[in-house]
Amino acid sequence: MNAPSDFQRKRPIPSGFMEALQQKFQERFSSAMAVREHHGRDESPFPPMLPDAVVFVQSTEEVAWVAKHCNDHHVPLIPYGVGSSLEGHVLALEGGISVDLSGMNQILAINSEDFTATVQAGVTRLSLNEALRDTGLFFPIDPGADASLGGMVATRASGTNAVRYGTMRENVLTLKVVTADGRIIETANRAKKSSAGYDLTRIFIGSEGTLGIVTEVTVRLYPQPEAISAAICNFPDLQAAVRSVIEIIQVGVPIARVEFMDAAAVRATNAYSNLQLKESPLLLFEFHGSTSGVQEQAELVQDITRDNGGMDFEWAERPEDRSRLWTARHNAYFAGLQLRPGCRASTTDVCVPISRLAECVEETAKDMDQASFPYTIVGHVGDGNFHVLMLLDAESQQEWAESERLNRRLVQRAIDMDGTCSGEHGIGLHKMEFMLAEHGADAIALMHSLKQAFDPNNILNPGKMLPQLA
Amino acid sequence: MNAPSDFQRKRPIPSGFMEALQQKFQERFSSAMAVREHHGRDESPFPPMLPDAVVFVQSTEEVAWVAKHCNDHHVPLIPYGVGSSLEGHVLALEGGISVDLSGMNQILAINSEDFTATVQAGVTRLSLNEALRDTGLFFPIDPGADASLGGMVATRASGTNAVRYGTMRENVLTLKVVTADGRIIETANRAKKSSAGYDLTRIFIGSEGTLGIVTEVTVRLYPQPEAISAAICNFPDLQAAVRSVIEIIQVGVPIARVEFMDAAAVRATNAYSNLQLKESPLLLFEFHGSTSGVQEQAELVQDITRDNGGMDFEWAERPEDRSRLWTARHNAYFAGLQLRPGCRASTTDVCVPISRLAECVEETAKDMDQASFPYTIVGHVGDGNFHVLMLLDAESQQEWAESERLNRRLVQRAIDMDGTCSGEHGIGLHKMEFMLAEHGADAIALMHSLKQAFDPNNILNPGKMLPQLA
């Protein structure tokens, strides 16, 4: 693959720098090759780019110490959660220190009257929900992977519940952040809303470790619904499915989840998760509410899908059936991989206004049908966001080049429809080339000025997200 | 009053600057005293601080021209919408040019399938909803005043619907913004979510005209509910009312509005709006949903309020009754003013985690009962946000000082409870003194670095929001 590791340009490490780090962290410092390799890769299609060393931090103060040390010596610092990013976010493009926050995994507070929880950045979404089990509350944001909350902040993550509950953008109240020079700030407080000054919280959400290191996250929680119900509906084509979704939202159904899978994704899921779903385009619904509210929502949705040519509306009301379905949906990525054993996947992530979604997916499917590799499409269709999983021969330069060309065409299509190159995965290395087309040079220049203001020595995850301007 | 006009420190206007502006804008340029006075005041308790001149712009390009002209000559520029800000935002602390955007009042697009509208910054919230009347959609953010969308962006406004629909923070998709040096950027696009780069949109929301001038706003819209119902419930005390609200949210009732009024606010409203509400603490509810959903919500809420000592649950199901009630609530500010004819009001705006709300309001009421002036309390209680309207003798230095002392105590109380000095009105001049206590010096330093990066010549609404650090 013509991978960006060709472009790794490591900065020199000043003498004495590593020794001081090792002395500070002792056995929680490592420059072993296996550890560096583990921290130099993510779920992107890129081969690893190794950091020079890894430190396993246990407190905000330790992170601050490392930041100051790196800043004083102009050594890159890359925050690391669980490595589930998809766009090369954690690859050490310029070498430096990977700061592993997975040991910061304490749940610091659950304020059930306020519907908030405060956790260290290394806590994962599933472990947070495990801790919430007996509170009657839950945290809805669910990227496929069991990502860390810090990582989810960094990529402005979302998932299948976003259509009802929003994304990380809407569900973080405040962050504890270590700045490039090792100061510790709290971006806000636990008030549900505030008009007191610049929105530091949202500045760090989606900043991919380039503006500061998030060490604590306070999120919004939601009451577990009294009733939950799920359903599946097959459609003759994508157009019918999307038209249904627009109408469902238009009439005000507070749908909790509505996911699209193309026939190939269904086939992969059947094989991987041992299901017998009909292998045509389908929508997977979930309804949250009171018992009668859920029933009312479901009836309305059933009417709307029928009017749009939907077939075989099927219920999954038992918790174990629902759970099986949603686990299968969350495993769609791994299911896809099994369609071509040994392959490496490259995933697209455009998001467009929903009025353009059917057109965007259709044109994309036509394009992809010409490809020499298999693909599947799944989508958070209520948000206008969908993913093409392109299953590539890991050794084939030609397939890689073809997938990149197809992705470029897809992104330009999305931008032309007033959409974005990334709905939820972030930019990392892989989508940097699209930033200029999406935002324009003047907006990118503003982003650069923000980066320069917050990280004047360019130590924080350098070389990511922002393309250089001519 | 010991008002900040004592501190107005006008910058010199370079020779030829005004002439060029006048030549460009002709009859849409004014340095008439009446026009400058009108643009040098808002709804804050401060006397006016006059800009040197006012220009009435009609396009983004004109705003860009003015910004470049001001930036080249280091002359302050203050965006002006309808002047309904409450904290001195538009006062010309350092003189300069007031840029009146009220003529930019075009609705540019309503995309009903996408639930978005794009408007020029001078469009007001009521005129937007008037334009939406036949679409089946509405825009929910409702500060008391008929503010301009640009102004609502600037202050990160919210209102009575925020408990269900969020604030401007959650309801803006993208902005057209003129930068300090006169470039024109689009902060994002119409995709419902995006992970593509820094959140420029949220950087400008709440920035009070200090980072750029918003000229176009794209907002989210919502389907008009199939059914709406309102109700009033009186309580023996505040504690019972707040306890009810916490339980209502805990059981997952998707309540659209829940407003608190103290007995004095009810009395004022009865007099001003010719109502006969029982003059004890009350909650004013609104329910949105399907017909049966609204009924179910309302029954649940009625049960919960009864369990908490609520009395006289009264319905307002007819649209005209509902409308009368909510108009009365929106007029609570003006109703309060009538309790002391000729007075000038100073309004507090703290917001705390809801678990601390009852305690915060109670301690505040005890404090206020010692004051030498009358007051009322109203609150967006589902968000933990409440306002004390302090009705001051406009000529009395002593009452002004007393109100400032009481507000300081209130803000410190809110900050100690992990809350904020401003839930929705912003900082302007009036709340600048609290920024350091709320955010800490390191966070304020970061905010200064952002301001410096975006507005290096400090021309955009200078002297507001950010306190100088020692």
Side-chain angles (χ1 to χ4, degrees):
Chain A
M1 257 179 226
N2 179 18
S5 65
D6 301 356
F7 307 113
Q8 187 174 22
R9 38 177 197 275
K10 291 178 76 154
R11 289 192 205 171
I13 304 289
S15 81
F17 177 89
M18 285 297 186
E19 292 74 8
L21 209 56
Q22 181 157 28
Q23 189 170 355
K24 169 80 178 172
F25 286 93
Q26 302 284 338
E27 76 289 352
R28 292 188 284 116
F29 168 95
S30 176
S31 57
M33 186 55 75
V35 175
R36 291 168 57 207
E37 273 179 353
H38 178 68
H39 288 78
R41 66 162 73 238
D42 61 8
E43 295 288 334
S44 70
F46 302 136
M49 290 188 229
L50 276 45
D52 293 291
V54 180
V55 292
F56 296 85
V57 292
Q58 292 181 340
S59 70
T60 298
E61 289 67 29
E62 284 188 354
V63 175
W65 191 96
V66 179
K68 183 169 189 321
H69 189 55
C70 286
N71 194 52
D72 288 348
H73 297 90
H74 295 214
V75 171
L77 183 168
I78 302 167
Y80 185 95
V82 304
S84 58
S85 54
L86 287 162
E87 306 290 6
H89 294 83
V90 301
L91 276 57
L93 187 67
E94 303 191 17
I97 306 304
S98 175
V99 176
D100 186 318
L101 291 119
S102 61
M104 290 183 64
N105 58 2
Q106 302 300 305
I107 308 240
L108 300 172
I110 295 171
N111 296 88
S112 54
E113 283 199 334
D114 296 320
F115 311 93
T116 71
T118 301
V119 303
Q120 288 185 313
V123 168
T124 68
R125 67 177 182 90
L126 292 177
S127 57
L128 172 56
N129 275 316
E130 186 58 36
L132 292 171
R133 190 194 283 266
D134 298 327
T135 62
L137 302 172
F138 78 111
F139 175 67
I141 317 293
D142 64 336
D146 187 21
S148 69
L149 271 288
M152 290 168 65
V153 167
T155 55
R156 205 179 289 129
S158 52
T160 66
N161 281 305
V163 64
R164 165 86 169 251
Y165 298 96
T167 73
M168 289 301 278
R169 184 172 71 188
E170 288 82 24
N171 285 288
V172 173
L173 284 167
T174 177
L175 300 169
K176 187 167 279 182
V177 174
V178 172
T179 63
D181 57 0
R183 287 172 294 166
I184 299 168
I185 65 160
E186 188 75 35
T187 57
N189 47 61
R190 289 201 306 112
K192 208 173 142 201
K193 62 183 195 179
S194 170
S195 290
Y198 301 139
D199 192 345
L200 291 180
T201 309
R202 251 70 29 197
I203 288 176
F204 289 105
I205 294 172
S207 68
E208 305 191 359
T210 65
L211 298 179
I213 308 123
V214 172
T215 62
E216 291 179 17
V217 186
T218 298
V219 293
R220 292 181 62 177
L221 306 173
Y222 295 83
Q224 284 168 12
E226 177 194 324
I228 302 180
S229 171
I232 293 171
C233 186
N234 287 88
F235 290 86
D237 53 38
L238 167 83
Q239 199 94 37
V242 172
R243 174 61 41 200
S244 301
V245 174
I246 292 177
E247 286 183 27
I248 287 162
I249 295 175
Q250 195 102 36
V251 300
V253 175
I255 194 138
R257 290 166 152 170
V258 52
E259 293 287 308
F260 173 77
M261 300 173 85
D262 74 352
V266 179
R267 190 165 63 249
T269 294
N270 277 342
Y272 186 85
S273 298
N274 195 22
L275 293 169
Q276 286 81 39
L277 304 171
K278 180 173 169 185
E279 293 176 4
S280 78
L282 68 72
L283 291 177
L284 181 49
F285 298 100
E286 191 163 279
F287 309 98
H288 293 179
S290 65
T291 307
S292 62
V294 159
Q295 188 171 348
E296 187 182 47
Q297 289 177 47
E299 281 166 14
L300 247 171
V301 166
Q302 192 160 4
D303 288 349
I304 290 171
T305 55
R306 193 187 301 114
D307 291 348
N308 283 284
M311 314 164 282
D312 318 315
F313 204 87
E314 265 180 57
W315 291 103
E317 276 181 281
R318 292 188 311 167
E320 57 272 29
D321 293 341
R322 279 206 325 269
S323 171
R324 225 157 71 98
L325 269 184
W326 286 108
T327 303
R329 168 60 191 89
H330 277 130
N331 285 334
Y333 175 80
F334 302 105
L337 293 185
Q338 292 308 310
L339 286 182
R340 191 175 190 184
C343 74
R344 185 94 163 133
S346 183
T347 310
T348 75
D349 182 31
V350 303
C351 185
V352 296
I354 198 169
S355 64
R356 309 301 299 272
L357 180 63
E359 185 186 352
C360 191
V361 179
E362 261 180 44
E363 288 184 18
T364 303
K366 261 186 226 161
D367 236 21
M368 291 288 163
D369 284 340
Q370 311 301 317
S372 57
F373 48 77
Y375 73 93
T376 65
I377 297 180
V378 297
H380 310 307
V381 70
D383 294 321
N385 181 210
F386 68 96
H387 308 299
V388 183
L389 189 65
M390 299 184 284
L391 305 167
L392 311 176
D393 177 343
E395 305 304 320
S396 168
Q397 279 287 350
Q398 181 266 326
E399 287 194 12
W400 170 251
E402 192 181 352
S403 74
E404 289 289 274
R405 185 178 56 77
L406 286 163
N407 188 31
R408 268 180 218 114
R409 284 168 55 87
L410 168 51
V411 167
Q412 191 56 54
R413 188 177 299 130
I415 292 173
D416 291 344
M417 293 176 172
D418 211 359
T420 174
C421 68
S422 179
E424 57 184 11
H425 295 167
I427 299 299
L429 284 172
H430 196 190
K431 302 233 156 69
M432 274 174 65
E433 63 172 304
F434 307 125
M435 287 288 280
L436 195 58
E438 178 164 335
H439 295 286
D442 288 330
I444 297 293
L446 265 193
M447 292 190 197
H448 272 294
S449 74
L450 172 61
K451 167 72 173 172
Q452 169 71 21
F454 277 39
D455 179 22
N457 293 332
N458 191 28
I459 64 157
L460 294 173
N461 205 3
K464 306 291 172 59
M465 186 195 281
L466 291 184
Q468 290 307 312
L469 290 172
Chain B
M1 262 183 223
N2 180 16
S5 65
D6 301 357
F7 307 114
Q8 187 175 22
R9 39 177 196 275
K10 291 178 77 155
R11 291 194 205 169
I13 304 290
S15 80
F17 177 89
M18 285 296 184
E19 291 74 7
L21 209 56
Q22 180 157 26
Q23 186 169 357
K24 170 82 178 169
F25 286 94
Q26 303 284 340
E27 76 289 353
R28 291 187 285 115
F29 168 95
S30 176
S31 56
M33 185 56 73
V35 175
R36 292 167 58 205
E37 271 179 356
H38 178 68
H39 288 78
R41 67 162 72 240
D42 60 8
E43 295 288 333
S44 70
F46 302 137
M49 290 188 230
L50 307 194
D52 292 292
V54 180
V55 291
F56 296 84
V57 291
Q58 292 182 339
S59 70
T60 299
E61 289 66 31
E62 284 188 354
V63 175
W65 191 95
V66 179
K68 185 169 186 319
H69 189 55
C70 286
N71 194 53
D72 287 348
H73 297 91
H74 294 214
V75 171
L77 184 169
I78 303 167
Y80 185 95
V82 304
S84 58
S85 55
L86 287 162
E87 306 291 7
H89 294 83
V90 300
L91 276 57
L93 188 67
E94 304 191 16
I97 306 303
S98 175
V99 176
D100 186 316
L101 291 118
S102 62
M104 290 183 65
N105 59 1
Q106 301 300 305
I107 309 245
L108 301 173
I110 295 171
N111 296 89
S112 54
E113 283 200 333
D114 296 320
F115 311 94
T116 71
T118 300
V119 303
Q120 288 186 315
V123 168
T124 69
R125 65 177 184 92
L126 291 177
S127 55
L128 172 56
N129 275 316
E130 186 60 34
L132 293 170
R133 190 193 283 266
D134 297 326
T135 63
L137 302 172
F138 79 111
F139 174 67
I141 317 294
D142 64 335
D146 187 21
S148 69
L149 271 288
M152 290 168 66
V153 168
T155 55
R156 204 181 287 127
S158 51
T160 67
N161 282 305
V163 63
R164 165 87 168 252
Y165 298 95
T167 72
M168 289 302 279
R169 184 172 72 191
E170 288 81 22
N171 285 291
V172 173
L173 284 168
T174 178
L175 299 169
K176 186 166 280 184
V177 174
V178 171
T179 63
D181 57 0
R183 287 172 295 165
I184 299 168
I185 65 161
E186 188 73 39
T187 58
N189 45 60
R190 288 200 306 114
K192 208 173 141 198
K193 62 184 195 180
S194 171
S195 290
Y198 301 138
D199 193 345
L200 292 180
T201 310
R202 251 65 37 194
I203 288 177
F204 289 105
I205 295 172
S207 68
E208 305 189 358
T210 66
L211 297 179
I213 307 122
V214 173
T215 61
E216 291 179 17
V217 187
T218 299
V219 294
R220 291 180 64 175
L221 305 174
Y222 295 84
Q224 285 167 12
E226 176 193 325
I228 302 179
S229 170
I232 292 171
C233 186
N234 287 88
F235 290 87
D237 54 38
L238 166 83
Q239 199 94 35
V242 172
R243 172 61 43 198
S244 301
V245 174
I246 292 177
E247 286 182 28
I248 287 163
I249 295 175
Q250 194 102 36
V251 300
V253 175
I255 194 140
R257 290 166 151 172
V258 51
E259 294 287 307
F260 173 78
M261 299 174 86
D262 74 351
V266 179
R267 191 166 60 249
T269 294
N270 277 342
Y272 186 84
S273 298
N274 195 21
L275 293 169
Q276 286 81 38
L277 304 171
K278 181 173 166 185
E279 293 176 4
S280 77
L282 67 73
L283 290 177
L284 181 49
F285 298 100
E286 192 163 277
F287 309 99
H288 293 179
S290 65
T291 307
S292 63
V294 159
Q295 187 171 349
E296 188 182 48
Q297 290 178 46
E299 280 166 13
L300 247 171
V301 166
Q302 192 160 7
D303 288 349
I304 290 171
T305 54
R306 193 187 302 113
D307 291 351
N308 283 284
M311 314 165 282
D312 318 314
F313 204 87
E314 265 181 59
W315 292 102
E317 275 178 281
R318 292 188 311 168
E320 57 272 31
D321 293 343
R322 280 205 325 271
S323 170
R324 226 157 72 98
L325 269 183
W326 287 109
T327 303
R329 168 60 191 89
H330 277 130
N331 286 333
Y333 174 79
F334 301 104
L337 294 184
Q338 292 308 313
L339 286 181
R340 192 176 190 184
C343 73
R344 183 91 165 137
S346 182
T347 311
T348 75
D349 182 32
V350 303
C351 184
V352 296
I354 198 170
S355 64
R356 309 300 299 275
L357 180 62
E359 186 186 350
C360 191
V361 179
E362 261 179 46
E363 288 183 18
T364 302
K366 261 186 226 159
D367 237 21
M368 291 289 163
D369 285 340
Q370 310 301 315
S372 56
F373 48 76
Y375 73 94
T376 65
I377 297 180
V378 297
H380 310 306
V381 70
D383 293 322
N385 181 210
F386 67 95
H387 308 299
V388 184
L389 188 65
M390 300 183 285
L391 305 166
L392 311 175
D393 177 343
E395 305 305 320
S396 167
Q397 278 287 350
Q398 180 267 325
E399 287 194 13
W400 170 251
E402 191 181 354
S403 74
E404 288 290 275
R405 185 179 56 77
L406 286 163
N407 188 32
R408 269 182 214 113
R409 285 168 55 88
L410 168 53
V411 167
Q412 192 56 53
R413 187 177 300 129
I415 291 173
D416 291 344
M417 293 176 173
D418 211 359
T420 175
C421 68
S422 178
E424 57 184 11
H425 294 168
I427 298 300
L429 285 171
H430 195 191
K431 302 232 154 68
M432 275 174 65
E433 62 172 306
F434 307 126
M435 288 288 281
L436 195 58
E438 178 163 335
H439 294 286
D442 288 331
I444 296 294
L446 266 193
M447 292 189 198
H448 271 294
S449 75
L450 172 62
K451 166 72 173 172
Q452 169 71 22
F454 277 39
D455 179 23
N457 293 333
N458 191 28
I459 63 156
L460 295 173
N461 206 359
K464 308 289 172 62
M465 185 195 282
L466 291 183
Q468 289 307 311
L469 290 171

